[in-house]
Amino acid sequence: MKIESIYDTSFRPYGQILTGYDTAALVSAMGAIPLPEDGVAYESSIAALEQNAIFGQLQNNAYGGMPIQIGMCWGRNTKLNCLEYHRDSEVNIGAGDFILLLARQDQIENGVLDTADVCAFRVPAGVAVEVYATTLHYAPCHVDKNEGFRVAVVLPKGTNEAKPSIVPVNDEDWRLQARNKWLLAHKESIEASQGAYVGLSGENINIA
C-alpha cells in the first residue's frame, strides 16, 4: 500500500502535528529501553519517560491540564491486526521513523470497518503527532526491521487499564476492550482468538 507523509494534506482528517515541543530527552529515554526479543510490547505508564520536562508541557499545553500518562509501544511489527479508538486524542512521538495505519470512526458501518479504508502514514523521528479521538489506530509498524520502533504513547491517565464491568446497552459496548479503549479486531489476530470483538473485514494488512 502507498505510505504517505503526515505532512501531506491527506493526513488532516486523522490528526495534526504538534509543534514547539523539545522531544530530545524523551527520545533519549526511549532509546535506553531494550526492544523485546519478538513482537510488540506496550506499557501505559513508564516512569523513565514521565520524569522528562515534556511531561508537564504535554499535560498542560496539549491536554489543557488534564492528568496524563506517558507509556510506550515498542518492538517490531508490519501488520494491522486490530484498530482501536479512545474518547480523546492520543499523542505519539517516535525515537525513530515509524508508520501508522489509520482509519476514521465514521467509516465503521454496522459495527464493521473494511480494511480497504485503512491508510498508512510515515511519522518522522522526534515529531509529536496528535491522533484525533475519531481516528482508529493500533500498534505502529517499523520502517527498519533491525531498528524496530519505539513510540511514546501519551493518553489521559488511566487509559488502557482494566475494563470496567458493564452491562452492554448498545452495540458499541461490545467493542469495549479496556478502560477508554474500544477495539475492532481482525479475525486472524491474536486478540480475536482471545475473545476481542471482530470488527475488521477484508485483508489483514501487512506492509511488508
Side-chain angles (χ1 to χ4, degrees):
M1 65 189 309
K2 181 181 179 182
I3 299 173
E4 301 180 76
S5 168
I6 57 168
Y7 293 100
D8 293 338
T9 57
S10 57
F11 181 66
R12 290 179 183 174
Y14 303 97
Q16 66 172 332
I17 298 162
L18 302 182
T19 60
Y21 294 96
D22 183 351
T23 62
L26 180 65
V27 165
S28 178
M30 285 192 285
I33 300 175
L35 288 174
E37 292 186 6
D38 185 48
V40 174
Y42 171 73
E43 290 187 26
S44 61
S45 178
I46 300 177
L49 306 185
E50 294 179 345
Q51 68 186 11
N52 290 282
I54 197 173
F55 179 88
Q57 293 174 329
L58 288 169
Q59 179 166 269
N60 293 322
N61 293 52
Y63 282 88
M66 293 288 291
I68 65 166
Q69 62 194 27
I70 301 181
M72 187 165 74
C73 188
W74 73 112
R76 296 176 177 86
N77 178 51
T78 60
K79 300 185 77 173
L80 177 65
N81 289 322
C82 299
L83 287 170
E84 68 179 3
Y85 59 94
H86 314 292
R87 285 292 190 252
D88 43 72
S89 292
E90 174 176 314
V91 175
N92 292 153
I93 301 166
D97 288 11
F98 64 97
I99 295 167
L100 287 173
L101 297 175
L102 306 175
R104 302 193 317 273
Q105 192 175 348
D106 63 7
Q107 293 172 310
I108 300 172
E109 295 187 9
N110 298 317
V112 177
L113 182 127
D114 188 336
T115 60
D117 292 327
V118 174
C119 297
F121 294 93
R122 182 167 177 154
V123 184
V127 173
V129 60
E130 176 186 357
V131 177
Y132 294 147
T134 52
T135 296
L136 308 179
H137 59 282
Y138 204 53
C141 296
H142 64 252
V143 172
D144 182 328
K145 184 178 181 180
N146 293 325
E147 296 294 329
F149 69 88
R150 293 176 176 85
V151 177
V153 179
V154 187
L155 282 162
K157 191 171 180 63
T159 299
N160 287 323
E161 292 183 0
K163 173 184 173 180
S165 178
I166 63 169
V167 176
V169 297
N170 55 49
D171 291 341
E172 186 185 42
D173 285 348
W174 296 105
R175 307 174 207 161
L176 186 65
Q177 184 73 9
R179 183 179 296 183
N180 193 24
K181 173 178 179 171
W182 289 262
L183 185 77
L184 289 80
H186 193 278
K187 64 181 180 181
E188 297 174 1
S189 68
I190 293 174
E191 289 85 349
S193 69
Q194 295 173 340
Y197 174 85
V198 176
L200 298 181
S201 64
E203 176 189 0
N204 186 16
I205 294 168
N206 188 339
I207 66 168

